[in-house]
Structure formats: C-alpha cells, structure tokens
Amino acid sequence: MVNKKCIIRLLRYKNALHRLNSLGFVKVFSDNLADAVGVTASQVRKDFSLFGICGNKRGGYQIEALLGKLNHILGKNEQQKVVIVGGGNIGAALMKYKGFEKEGVKIAACFDIDPAKYNHKEGDIPVLPLEQLRDFVRQNHIKIGVIAVPDIAAQQVLDLMLAAGIKGVLNFAPIRLRAASDCVINNVNLVLELETVIYFIINGLEKSIAEIHEEQKS
Amino acid sequence: MVNKKCIIRLLRYKNALHRLNSLGFVKVFSDNLADAVGVTASQVRKDFSLFGICGNKRGGYQIEALLGKLNHILGKNEQQKVVIVGGGNIGAALMKYKGFEKEGVKIAACFDIDPAKYNHKEGDIPVLPLEQLRDFVRQNHIKIGVIAVPDIAAQQVLDLMLAAGIKGVLNFAPIRLRAASDCVINNVNLVLELETVIYFIINGLEKSIAEIHEEQKS
DNA sequence: TTTTTATAGTGAAAAAAATCACAAAATGGC
DNA sequence: GCCATTTTGTGATTTTTTTCACTATAAAAA
C-alpha cells in the first residue's frame, strides 16, 4: 500500500525536520517542508494524511511532535543493527562512513572470506570470517544485511544471510537476486546511477529527469 | 518524456543482453529479457517501442543488433570520462571499483583539498588539488562529475563543477543541491537506501516494496 | 466579539506509468 | 503453398501517483 517512494519522502521530511529543529524552529508549514525536500506542499500533506499525521489548521506542525511521529513510523526510536558482508571497496567505505551512526544505524560487524581483512581492533567495527555470520546474526538478532561482494558471490551470500535469519538486504552487487517473498531486497547499482546521468547529458537533458528510484522486493 | 526509470530499465536490458551474448545466444524474446530484468514482457516491448526499436514478429530480437541500438541510445559507444571530487571513503571506493571501467566509464581524475590524498602514481587514478578541477575539466572536455564530499561542502563543490562546465552530477552527499536547470543531478543517499529497508522490515513487509528511485533534475 | 486570513485535510481530477489484449506478421510444419 | 502457431507492436484500459481545489478550522486582527 505505501510504497518506497513515499517512505523515502518520509525519511527526507524527518531529516529536514532535524535540521529545522536544531536551528531552533518550533513549527513548520507543509510548504516549508516541501521546499526543503523538493516536493509540493500537497504531497507533504497527502503523505502525512496517509499515516494519520495531523497538524493544526493555520498553525502548521509542531516540529518536535512531528519528529516523534515520523521516528515512530520509521522505526528510528531504537537503534538498528546491520551486518555487512564483503570488506572490499564498498564494504570498507560503508564501515568508515559516519552517516549511518548519525541516523541510528549501527554496523555491528563485517564478514569476509579473506583472512587479510579480519580485524579485531578495539573501537573498530570487527571484520570476521564469513563462517561466523550465522551465529553472529542469530546471537545479535540482526535482521538487516548489506551485500558488498562481487556479483559472482552475491546470490550465495544472500542465501547465507536468509538462512541466518536476515529479512532485509541492501544489495550493491549489480545482479538480480532471487529470494523468498518474505524478504525485502533493495538494490543500489552505482554504475547504473552514473550511466543514467550520462544518458541525460548525451541526449539533450532539456527535459526533466523525472523521478528516480529502483527497487525490487522479493 | 522518457523518465529515469525507463532509462534504468534500458541499461538493465543492455546488461542482460551482454550476458546472453557472451553465453552464445543469438536472439531473445521479450519475455526472456523480462525475466532477466524482473519486469513484464509488455514493459520490455513498450520500452523498445518508445525508442523505435523493432524486433521480428515471431522471431524475437537479434541480440547483437539490439545491443547496438541500445548502446547507441545509451551513449555507450564512446567511453565517457568523469571526475570525482572528494577522495574520502566513498571517493576512494569508487576509484578502486572495477565496475565503471567494465561499462565504459573512465574515472579521469579525483580532486580533493587534502594534500595527504594527492597521488600521481603511474597507473593509479590521479588525485589532484581541487584548484585544478576547472582546468582539468575544460582541457579534457568532461561533462560528468561525482560529488563524494561531506554534505557541508557539497553545494560549493557543485558550484565549482558547474562553473567548470560539468553538466551532469552524481551526488552522494545527503543534501538537496541547487543548480541551474540545464544540469542533471542524480542523488544517491546510501543511508536513506538502508533506512528504507529498515522501514519495510519493521512494518510487516508482507506488502511488496514497490518501485524505487528518487531523482531530481535541476 | 466579529471578521479576516492563512493553512491543514481531503475528495476529485489529472497525469503518469504499467498492463492488457488483440491484430498483424513471420516462421515452421504439413 | 497453406495452415497453425508464436511473438511483436501498440491502442485501449487499468492502476498508481500526483496535483488541484475547496472546506473546515484555528489564529490573529479589528
């Protein structure tokens, strides 16, 4: 019923509200949020209406209350733990990237088959042998995984993840994964994203590059 | 008129065709491609029809001819050069990633403000001072740039890029960039992509996670 | 207190995207 | 060479998403 595009907008509203909040603002109007996120004010109100979020006629929305509701809907009230499989370029970049922690997403561990990548340094995110994935995921009740391995290994890694109990996957491998239907797979294909830009540059971009986002549930 | 979702499908058809081609196949039917990419056969035919691509009734499509047409439409016949600004986590990962070259995208150089990152090693992608961006982009007629800097610097980097003549940008900074309307900006927000998965896991994913892709032209 | 005004909430309308369904054409078998 | 079959190409239809437009309401002003 609610689709991914809508959730992404909600997440953006949340981010915009955070900024406004830390700037000391107390209330917003739908058109402020619309500007901040790049959509129409109607869209903002429709999205909120879909989730039963109400503001005050003429008074806008109280930022704190609104943040609370969005955080609740988006599951941002408790920290989410994720694991990464693949300690290569992308996996390593994700581990070093500070943006996840800021949003309450904790990278609990990374798994690889290459012993040279193993790491137990205090303070760092541990990089462990792939064989330990299953136990780690079960012991820590992890439901989300990131696939950052070469495409050739991706399906196999997904199968391991699902067997371990993971239910949602962010997949960076440029390949179509097959999985049971009670599992969510969100694909991010970096090359494709860049190629899309190239297309619009080559073929007169005077047209709007309309909406973007690809996904796949499974 | 044609939107990003459609272009992404075209790029996927192209990839699937490459695989089929290297497996020795000579022709495909719309439903083969549909399966490979995860859409319906009608969608495939509609997409092709939109670009004037014809097959043979009852005979399907000749893979080589089809690849040729898609490559032409997608600008894959000549190698595309891009620059990256930001040699941090994401920038470094992109430079090391082999996937771009495989698709005919050449990362010509990376720019940073941190002298510790500068690199002129033979064979590596050069990492140069940001001041050289303008001249480099002009001399090499580069039209595409990747923003891989912290969000605080992203708008400034975009302005530099546009001033240098760049027309299309892949932006990894989690911030809404403002730009003239003759420029294409494609945003990739890694945290958001992961948070989307988290939402669907938390809130009973029994529903399909519909289509995904966000974009913004500017 | 009454009036004015700004803004939320939402059903209706429009636009966009995907799917359907079927005619037209090409192939292979007989 | 004709018929049966398969698959394309596309107009029509359906579904989904977005925008419009108007009512209700709360706040401020008079």
Side-chain angles (χ1 to χ4, degrees):
Chain A
M1 196 200 77
V2 311
N3 67 353
K4 177 170 164 180
K5 279 218 294 238
C6 179
I7 298 308
I8 287 198
R9 286 195 302 265
L10 249 48
L11 287 160
R12 294 215 161 108
Y13 301 148
K14 185 212 68 186
N15 291 341
L17 287 166
H18 261 301
R19 287 196 298 276
L20 291 170
N21 197 35
S22 59
L23 286 167
F25 287 91
V26 172
K27 66 180 187 179
V28 268
F29 302 121
S30 55
D31 65 326
N32 304 140
L33 268 178
D35 286 350
V37 166
V39 300
T40 65
S42 300
Q43 181 83 80
V44 173
R45 298 201 299 272
K46 247 296 174 352
D47 285 338
F48 286 175
S49 147
L50 207 62
F51 287 91
I53 293 175
C54 297
N56 317 299
K57 305 234 165 165
R58 171 134 196 186
Y61 302 84
Q62 293 298 118
I63 290 180
E64 285 206 12
L66 185 49
L67 263 175
K69 284 173 193 164
L70 287 177
N71 281 333
H72 176 71
I73 290 165
L74 297 168
K76 308 300 293 180
N77 285 329
E78 68 252 49
Q79 197 186 49
Q80 301 297 332
K81 283 184 289 190
V82 310
V83 291
I84 297 176
V85 175
N89 303 329
I90 294 177
L94 295 176
M95 280 191 277
K96 282 186 262 170
Y97 186 51
K98 300 293 172 227
F100 292 103
E101 198 145 11
K102 268 196 285 193
E103 293 300 329
V105 175
K106 168 137 179 96
I107 300 175
C110 177
F111 297 86
D112 205 296
I113 48 165
D114 177 5
K117 299 223 174 75
Y118 300 162
N119 178 5
H120 285 93
K121 237 186 292 167
E122 206 44 55
D124 281 12
I125 293 166
V127 181
L128 309 172
L130 186 55
E131 300 86 62
Q132 295 179 22
L133 174 70
R134 185 194 175 100
D135 289 346
F136 188 95
V137 164
R138 293 191 171 182
Q139 278 160 27
N140 294 279
H141 305 100
I142 288 172
K143 292 277 167 285
I144 318 276
V146 177
I147 296 182
V149 299
D151 49 1
I152 200 91
Q155 181 66 55
Q156 207 176 337
V157 165
L158 175 64
D159 295 342
L160 282 175
M161 281 182 166
L162 298 182
I166 279 179
K167 293 292 179 200
V169 171
L170 183 62
N171 171 44
F172 285 91
I175 200 145
R176 188 166 137 73
L177 297 174
R178 302 272 175 182
S181 69
D182 67 336
C183 140
V184 172
I185 298 183
N186 189 11
N187 296 293
V188 173
N189 185 329
L190 299 177
V191 178
L192 235 50
E193 296 294 340
L194 189 55
E195 289 181 303
T196 309
V197 175
I198 292 173
Y199 170 85
F200 282 102
I201 294 307
I202 289 179
N203 301 303
L205 43 135
E206 48 272 9
K207 4 229 50 154
S208 287
I209 170 173
E211 289 301 305
I212 302 180
H213 259 111
E214 151 261 336
E215 103 313 329
Q216 169 185 119
K217 175 277 196 89
S218 233
Chain B
M1 195 199 78
V2 312
N3 67 352
K4 177 169 162 178
K5 279 219 294 238
C6 179
I7 298 309
I8 288 197
R9 285 195 302 265
L10 249 48
L11 286 160
R12 293 215 161 107
Y13 301 148
K14 185 211 68 184
N15 291 340
L17 287 167
H18 261 300
R19 287 196 298 276
L20 291 171
N21 198 33
S22 58
L23 285 168
F25 287 90
V26 171
K27 65 180 187 179
V28 266
F29 302 122
S30 55
D31 65 328
N32 303 140
L33 268 178
D35 286 349
V37 166
V39 299
T40 65
S42 300
Q43 180 84 80
V44 174
R45 296 200 301 270
K46 249 286 163 25
D47 286 338
F48 286 175
S49 148
L50 206 63
F51 287 91
I53 293 175
C54 298
N56 317 298
K57 305 234 166 169
R58 167 131 198 190
Y61 303 83
Q62 293 298 118
I63 290 180
E64 285 206 11
L66 186 48
L67 263 175
K69 284 174 194 163
L70 287 177
N71 281 334
H72 176 72
I73 291 165
L74 296 167
K76 307 300 291 180
N77 284 329
E78 67 251 49
Q79 196 186 48
Q80 301 297 331
K81 284 184 289 187
V82 310
V83 292
I84 298 176
V85 175
N89 303 327
I90 294 176
L94 296 176
M95 280 190 277
K96 282 184 261 169
Y97 187 50
K98 299 293 171 226
F100 292 104
E101 198 144 11
K102 267 195 285 193
E103 293 302 329
V105 175
K106 168 139 180 96
I107 299 174
C110 176
F111 297 86
D112 205 295
I113 47 166
D114 177 5
K117 299 221 176 75
Y118 300 162
N119 178 5
H120 285 92
K121 235 186 294 168
E122 206 42 55
D124 281 12
I125 293 166
V127 181
L128 308 172
L130 186 55
E131 301 84 61
Q132 296 179 22
L133 174 70
R134 185 193 174 101
D135 289 344
F136 188 95
V137 163
R138 293 193 171 181
Q139 277 160 27
N140 294 279
H141 307 101
I142 288 172
K143 292 277 168 286
I144 317 275
V146 177
I147 296 182
V149 300
D151 48 3
I152 200 91
Q155 181 66 56
Q156 207 176 337
V157 165
L158 176 63
D159 295 342
L160 282 176
M161 282 182 166
L162 298 182
I166 279 180
K167 293 292 180 200
V169 172
L170 183 62
N171 171 42
F172 285 92
I175 199 142
R176 189 167 138 72
L177 297 174
R178 302 272 175 184
S181 68
D182 67 336
C183 137
V184 173
I185 297 182
N186 189 12
N187 296 293
V188 173
N189 185 329
L190 299 176
V191 178
L192 233 52
E193 296 294 340
L194 189 54
E195 289 182 303
T196 309
V197 175
I198 292 173
Y199 170 85
F200 284 102
I201 293 307
I202 289 179
N203 302 301
L205 43 137
E206 48 271 10
K207 5 228 50 157
S208 284
I209 170 173
E211 288 301 306
I212 303 181
H213 260 116
E214 151 259 338
E215 98 318 326
Q216 169 185 117
K217 175 280 196 86
S218 233

